[in-house]
Amino acid sequence: MTTPVSTSAHTSPSKQVLRQALNHRGVLFGAFVVFAIIFIAIFAPMLAPHDPYEQILSRKLIPPVWFDSPKTTWDHILGTDHLGRDYLSRLIYGARISLMIGFSAMLISGVIGTTLGVCAGYFGGRVDNVINFVITTRLSMPVVLVALAVVSLMGSSLTVVIWVLGLLIWDRFAVVMRSATQQVRGLDFVASAEALGSTTRRILFVEVLPNILNHFIVIATLEMAHAILLEAALSFLGLGVQPPDPSWGLMISEAKGLMFFDGWLIAIPGTALFLLILAINLLGDGIRDVTAPENRN
Amino acid sequence: MIAFFIKRLVTALLVVLTVSAMTFSMTFLTGDPAIAVAGENATQADIVRIREYYGYDRPIPVQFMSWLGRAAQGDFGQSLYLNQPVSIEIFARLKTTMTLGLSALIFALVLAIPLGVVAAIRPNSLLDRFALTVAVVGQAMPSFWFALTMMLWFGINWRILPVSGTDTWAHFVMPSIALGYFITPGVMRLTRAGMLEVLRSDYIRTARAKGASGFSILFKHALRNAIIPVVSLAAVQFGFMLGGSIVIETIFAVNGLGFLAWESIQRADLPMMQAIVLVLSVFYIMLTFLADVLNAWLDPRIRIS
Amino acid sequence: MADPVLSIRNLTVGLPVKLDRKNAVTGISFDVRPREILCVVGESGSGKSITSLATMGLLSPGLKVTSGSIDFDGRDVLKLSNKERNAMRGDQMAMIFQEPMTALNPAYTVGAQIEEVFRIHRNLSAADRRAEVMRLLEEVRLPDPKRLYDAFPHQLSGGQRQRIMIAMALALDPKLLIADEPTTALDVTTQAQILVLLKQLNERHDAGIMFITHDFGVVAEIADRVVVMRHGEIVEQGTADEVLNNPQHPYTRALIDAVPRPMTEETTPEANENPVVIDVQGLNKTFTTSTGMFKPSRTVTAVNNVSFQVKRGETLGIVGESGSGKTTLVRCLMRLIEPDSGAINISGVDFAAKSRSELRSHRKDIQIVFQDPYGSLNPRRTIGSQLIQGAINFGIPRKEAWDRVYKLLDIVRMPHDSVNRFPSQFSGGQRQRLCIARALVVQPKVLIADEAVSALDVSIQREVLHLLNDIRDRLGLTVIFITHDLRVAAQICNEVLVMQYGSVVERGGVSQIFNAPSHDYTKALLSAQPGQNWDMPVFDEGDTLAKI
């Protein structure tokens, strides 16, 4: 079969990928939303109209401005919660918590999972067997339950939540990086590098890692989304972020009792959560599409 | 073949052992378990008594062995809160969780597999895009939020379905959907990807060259091969689902294992927590083992070698 | 002359946009007559497979017939409905594919898969169908049909699977049989058997056979008539005798010129007084297969007590079919895998005895070029950084290393600006040149070429072989040339080792191996070479091939 030879001389593979990414709707939408939320999180103090912790009980449960109610006010665009705190401000500060937990947990799990996966895939044999066993063991433990139990035993704080999640969700990194490494390891340019006297470390960092980086980015986005969802679930069950800190999961949890009367209380943080996860996932799927079209599914 | 299963079984047992050790070590996560058990108002004498009563004064390996030995016989000790053996409560609740898990699994498979097949037949068609949207949206929706939203519409606003409890099958409808939709995207994507790959394969071309009809190619030749990895995934996801049912059971007050776990966490009932984690882990290990057996049976390349 | 069973007129198949050419096939016309074997020959990208798939109606969705007609048995198959085409396929028109390993459905027994043809097209009782399958299994010379009936594809060898495919194709006595490179994926001895089988079947059945191949040896073996294709067009067609012995078109002549030809004249190798560079003694390697967790572990002796020496400036060919252990042998020589026992002396250093870390400083003495031009360059690094890496690893100063790289690019005839590019911007042949340059940058004493030209078209194969010869003479290299193709070995080697099941069965000078083989296996290999009775004409237009 003919292999279409790229006509664009002198462009590196990464530049080609970037060009394709800028033509991919999923990537564009995902990147736009994710960067918007990151922007909001960074500049929260400037963007939030109110102090997210300030309780004004006389102004509690004001509905958002689009509701047909005499209580609505443009001072609280998204209304106030049961303690009279500005909902928009809490939402804005909540983005900080979601992103921080998602990113930190992803980083921890990424380092653990990639190290394990790359070692297993590159060295094979006994190393592979042992790491495989560790992965199987980890997979057999129910994540939500173990996270809840450990957080409840150790006491809940942001740090504990981040570490517990990071230490729990590295499995997908390990599994994917392992098989990606195996694939690259079998290619002849790795054998060539070995024959040319490259050290193992050099082979791992120069020959193997750049070729599995695209897998890492895809899994990193998925796991970040996963961590954010788990944090929200933990907070929802009262064992994640503790009041009065604003977390989207906690906001839903706090509004649970009132949702039959004021459904918007859960609709607003839920939509924010949904949008963030959707955007991250679309970004990840898009990156997979443009970096490895053959893996598209 | 038999050698493989023995090897696989030994690995499974080793995993169970490791998981037991990790579960057991939860006892020491807070430092001295005797203080935790004794509660806030206990005197020093109480703590010493509790330490001796529960055997916390023995060396840790001895404690582990005796805990493991009893757990193997189904004795997970006494609940700190309910004042009865942990195992009795667990087995009472297991049935509910299994019912929920199985109906959620069936819901997910019935939705995901046909959708995946249809999407693969015409990639990039309207139907494919619809299926992909279902997958993307499903993956992004927090399950507890989805559950609450369903509850609000179907339970409160329209009053079609009961919002809590486990009295009739109708009580299981919303929890099953809420639990099952979360695994739908994964199963759908794998079915679609598997079908696409198989449909591109040489042996499908052979079948077409033989003059086989489209229907026969799709179901007899393609799906038969594409479904094999889906079986494994479904088993794994079923295991994850049982572990994740804690959120859904709590929301819908489904009186199952997940709800019990949540109650126990609230009450700091450590023996109960440990037992539930262990039971769910062992169940997952059994599931993956069964999935391997099923896989070997479905794939002649493994079955006959 | 009988009416043609297939007649293709002005067929044009369009390619999807954005490719380097507009059509996969442009305005071709030819006939296939009953009882004849028509060979369609061409290099990769010539459109020969597309033609056969268009005839069967199996083109992949991106490809569309834009004009022309394909008349089969009086009807234009391009105008048939799906239903009519299904009724015709497998019944009056059948096809065999290139990859026997993947062409059968892994989930069903081969018996059931042959039977399916009867199920689809005939209304037979179960017992009759089974009897028909047994008859077919016997007709394609498969041993023990009863047992084979219930076998799954993965239990059979490539040759056996291809026989199953042939049985399936012949099941209903089709009028047209299309064979798309049916022997390319097979070993040469298996290929010979399949070709014999096809010739015999051709005598017993009335079918016209359209045989797609890239190998002029195979053409000489079986063709009645030949169509030569290039870039989607027919450049020449005629009887086998006309095309093979008196080709008119320069492209055909160049192609025939590039076919590696066996050495016939008796040459006595000049006595070489150079020192021995590589001396291998009693090398052994056994594998315990436990990779498929499902299979009981088995020990396979991949390399069995292999010894040889090569002198400076010589080329040793190691020839064997798949599974002969030749690739394991070279990987052991490179210490990419660990040999179990034996000594590998390269200018006084025993490679087998060194620890892996001690070995690193000696690795520059022996280098390798692999078969797959697409897997042997890192897609994410520039050519320059890959070429210079080896020199840097051995402590050569950067400036000197770049000098070496540019000098080597001249030697392998690649432009200097290649260093800034990425592998995806080069063709297979160019990549092999770059791989040769990469291996030479550390100034090795021994260069191993592991099937280094097997993945290339004959024309490019010829250039790379010339290049290897040239480099050996210029740099005083010692070359170990691994190949499955005796004809290729004959072109470049001084001496040849023939391997079978991990052992060396015969060793000798090229003319001795070719003219007076002593071992049965060598004789079998030689007699399996396709096109032996064809006295290849010489045109000496090979070097023009790349240009036209």
Side-chain angles (χ1 to χ4, degrees), chain C residues 300-340:
Chain C
V300 177
T301 309
V303 176
N304 185 13
N305 198 21
V306 170
S307 307
F308 61 84
Q309 298 86 31
V310 196
K311 289 180 185 158
R312 215 183 98 194
E314 284 197 337
T315 301
L316 174 74
I318 298 180
V319 180
E321 295 183 299
S322 55
S324 62
K326 55 190 193 308
T327 293
T328 309
L329 173 65
V330 292
R331 293 201 175 226
C332 281
L333 294 181
M334 303 286 306
R335 279 285 295 276
L336 292 172
I337 49 181
E338 298 295 325
D340 296 336

Side-chain angles (χ1 to χ4, degrees), chain A residues 10 27 44 74 79 159 225 246 267 279 295:
Chain A
H10 301 286
V27 173
W74 280 96
T159 332
N295 294 345

Side-chain angles (χ1 to χ4, degrees), chain C residues 376-418:
Chain C
S376 34
L377 289 167
N378 186 340
R380 310 237 166 222
R381 295 179 70 192
T382 58
I383 296 299
S385 79
Q386 301 193 56
L387 289 188
I388 202 172
Q389 179 80 64
I392 300 291
N393 285 344
F394 289 102
I396 313 289
R398 235 159 221 288
K399 180 155 181 324
E400 197 188 327
W402 279 115
D403 285 347
R404 276 196 197 177
V405 167
Y406 288 124
K407 217 173 277 168
L408 283 167
L409 284 174
D410 289 337
I411 291 179
V412 299
R413 284 177 235 132
M414 292 293 290
H416 283 193
D417 69 350
S418 306

Side-chain angles (χ1 to χ4, degrees), chain B residues 131-176:
Chain B
L132 212 64
T133 311
V134 169
V136 169
V137 169
Q139 258 168 344
M141 197 120 66
S143 58
F144 58 92
W145 183 58
F146 180 58
L148 288 177
T149 311
M150 255 202 310
M151 205 174 193
L152 197 60
W153 291 104
F154 293 97
I156 312 295
N157 288 2
W158 298 331
R159 299 193 172 278
I160 308 172
L161 292 163
V163 291
S164 73
T166 50
D167 304 336
T168 64
W169 64 266
H171 285 90
F172 279 96
V173 174
M174 279 200 287
S176 302

Side-chain angles (χ1 to χ4, degrees), chain A residues 120-144:
Chain A
Y122 188 80
F123 296 107
R126 209 163 289 161
V127 180
D128 190 27
N129 285 341
V130 170
I131 291 175
N132 241 335
F133 181 78
V134 175
I135 296 174
T136 317
T137 309
R138 159 51 211 92
L139 279 173
S140 65
M141 302 177 72
V143 175
V144 183

Side-chain angles (χ1 to χ4, degrees), chain C residues 213-470:
Chain C
T213 182
H214 67 281
D215 187 338
F216 265 100
V218 172
V219 176
E221 202 67 36
I222 59 164
D224 296 314
R225 285 191 316 119
V226 183
V227 168
V228 183
M229 286 184 75
R230 169 166 148 259
H231 300 335
E233 289 170 36
I234 292 178
V235 299
E236 179 160 8
Q237 60 177 311
T239 64
D241 180 50
E242 284 165 9
V243 174
L244 288 173
N245 299 320
N246 190 17
Q248 298 305 308
H249 195 279
Y251 177 72
T252 316
R253 297 171 30 151
L255 263 188
I256 289 175
D257 234 13
V259 174
R261 47 208 68 212
M263 179 162 303
T264 39
E265 73 271 36
E266 194 77 35
T267 51
T268 40
E270 308 157 35
N272 187 337
E273 298 299 322
N274 286 339
V276 168
V277 174
I278 176 167
D279 179 4
V280 175
Q281 291 299 330
L283 204 64
N284 282 296
K285 176 72 190 176
T286 53
F287 287 112
T288 313
T289 55
S290 57
T291 42
M293 308 202 292
F294 307 101
K295 290 170 191 153
S297 57
R298 226 175 8 160
T299 27
V300 177
T301 309
V303 176
N304 185 13
N305 198 21
V306 170
S307 307
F308 61 84
Q309 298 86 31
V310 196
K311 289 180 185 158
R312 215 183 98 194
E314 284 197 337
T315 301
L316 174 74
I318 298 180
V319 180
E321 295 183 299
S322 55
S324 62
K326 55 190 193 308
T327 293
T328 309
L329 173 65
V330 292
R331 293 201 175 226
C332 281
L333 294 181
M334 303 286 306
R335 279 285 295 276
L336 292 172
I337 49 181
E338 298 295 325
D340 296 336
S341 64
I344 306 160
N345 256 300
I346 298 170
S347 26
V349 177
D350 186 355
F351 266 51
K354 296 269 178 210
S355 78
R356 289 191 88 78
S357 50
E358 287 173 325
L359 188 66
R360 188 164 296 129
S361 58
H362 297 285
R363 279 207 186 269
K364 64 179 170 56
D365 288 343
I366 180 164
Q367 287 300 319
I368 187 163
V369 178
F370 292 103
Q371 169 173 10
D372 174 17
Y374 293 92
S376 34
L377 289 167
N378 186 340
R380 310 237 166 222
R381 295 179 70 192
T382 58
I383 296 299
S385 79
Q386 301 193 56
L387 289 188
I388 202 172
Q389 179 80 64
I392 300 291
N393 285 344
F394 289 102
I396 313 289
R398 235 159 221 288
K399 180 155 181 324
E400 197 188 327
W402 279 115
D403 285 347
R404 276 196 197 177
V405 167
Y406 288 124
K407 217 173 277 168
L408 283 167
L409 284 174
D410 289 337
I411 291 179
V412 299
R413 284 177 235 132
M414 292 293 290
H416 283 193
D417 69 350
S418 306
V419 294
N420 297 320
R421 301 192 182 197
F422 287 87
S424 62
Q425 290 156 332
F426 295 97
S427 70
Q430 291 173 321
R431 287 179 203 214
Q432 282 313 58
R433 291 163 183 276
L434 293 169
C435 287
I436 292 172
R438 178 180 58 187
L440 294 178
V441 84
V442 293
Q443 303 182 333
K445 299 188 170 99
V446 181
L447 180 68
I448 300 179
D450 184 4
E451 298 271 13
V453 299
S454 310
L456 308 174
D457 276 329
V458 274
S459 52
I460 301 161
Q461 206 173 57
R462 182 180 154 115
E463 290 171 32
V464 176
L465 286 177
H466 278 312
L467 178 67
L468 274 174
N469 255 340
D470 183 40

Side-chain angles (χ1 to χ4, degrees), chain B residues 101-135:
Chain B
L102 273 176
S103 49
L105 183 71
I106 291 168
F107 165 77
L109 294 183
V110 164
L111 187 66
I113 294 178
L115 214 51
V117 171
V118 171
I121 297 173
R122 297 212 184 288
N124 294 323
S125 66
L126 223 61
L127 250 164
D128 184 28
R129 276 160 207 273
F130 169 74
L132 212 64
T133 311
V134 169

